[in-house]
Amino acid sequence: MEQLDQIDITILRILQRDSKKTAKEIATILNLTPSPVYERVRRLEKQGFIKKYVAILDKKLINKSVTTICQVSMRYHNEAFIEKFEEQIQNLDEVQECYHMAGQVDFILKIHTQSLEEYHDFVKTKLSKIENIGVLNSTFVLKEIKHTSEFYIE
């Protein structure tokens, strides 16, 4: 894998803030011509630095304003149970993020729902159906202070 130079890093920073920027717009910012910027972006995509382009939605406008952080502890910790949990969690649309943890809990889930009632139904009808869950501990976000998808890169 190639080392990133300062131009690559700047391109990545720009695209993290606004992935709709064109090669021409980025070239203007960098005081370059569009062609080498276009080639650099394609190379960064091909090398996997840029995984995909997405639109970040306003959770209030799409009526998913309740954010829950759910800590999951498993009853049994063998490979088969862990793999089955990871597979099943992929099918739950309400789960935006899932992390396998080291420490007191096994998994942390970030879940978005319309209301506390919808979260309750999600736990009752979907999450609790996954076998081997021992303990669920849910905490609800009162106020989002910082939310970014940008990585700080040097």
Side-chain angles (χ1 to χ4, degrees):
M1 185 105 26
E2 272 186 51
Q3 269 308 92
L4 296 176
D5 65 16
Q6 199 55 49
I7 294 172
D8 291 333
I9 291 171
T10 304
I11 290 170
L12 291 173
R13 286 181 182 152
I14 291 167
L15 289 174
Q16 281 191 107
R17 283 187 215 106
D18 182 0
S19 66
K20 288 184 76 174
K21 288 263 191 241
T22 64
K24 184 178 179 183
E25 292 170 321
I26 296 169
T28 300
I29 293 167
L30 296 174
N31 205 19
L32 297 170
T33 59
S35 184
V37 170
Y38 177 82
E39 292 303 320
R40 282 177 179 262
V41 170
R42 294 298 159 250
R43 178 178 47 80
L44 291 166
E45 291 170 347
K46 187 176 179 180
Q47 292 177 333
F49 287 99
I50 299 171
K51 291 172 68 171
K52 66 180 177 176
Y53 298 92
V54 299
I56 298 173
L57 307 180
D58 185 313
K59 64 183 178 181
K60 290 179 185 169
L61 294 178
I62 61 167
N63 208 15
K64 296 292 181 187
S65 59
V66 175
T67 303
T68 306
I69 306 300
C70 182
Q71 298 175 337
V72 178
S73 296
M74 309 301 282
R75 279 187 260 162
Y76 308 107
H77 294 87
N78 68 39
E79 184 177 355
F81 278 117
I82 290 171
E83 286 178 359
K84 187 170 184 182
F85 176 85
E86 291 174 358
E87 184 180 301
Q88 290 175 303
I89 213 75
Q90 294 289 336
N91 298 319
L92 300 178
D93 294 331
E94 295 85 352
V95 178
Q96 186 179 28
E97 299 174 40
C98 176
Y99 301 97
H100 191 175
M101 307 299 292
Q104 292 189 328
V105 298
D106 297 308
F107 293 92
I108 293 183
L109 312 176
K110 182 178 176 185
I111 300 163
H112 289 284
T113 56
Q114 176 182 350
S115 63
L116 291 176
E117 291 79 18
E118 186 178 300
Y119 178 73
H120 176 260
D121 289 342
F122 165 74
V123 170
K124 187 170 70 174
T125 63
K126 294 181 182 179
L127 195 57
S128 67
K129 303 289 189 223
I130 297 176
E131 67 177 292
N132 195 38
I133 292 178
V135 177
L136 288 177
N137 182 18
S138 301
T139 55
F140 302 96
V141 174
L142 297 176
K143 180 181 178 185
E144 188 174 282
I145 308 302
K146 180 178 180 179
H147 179 119
T148 184
S149 62
E150 295 179 36
F151 286 102
Y152 175 74
I153 51 177
E154 297 184 59

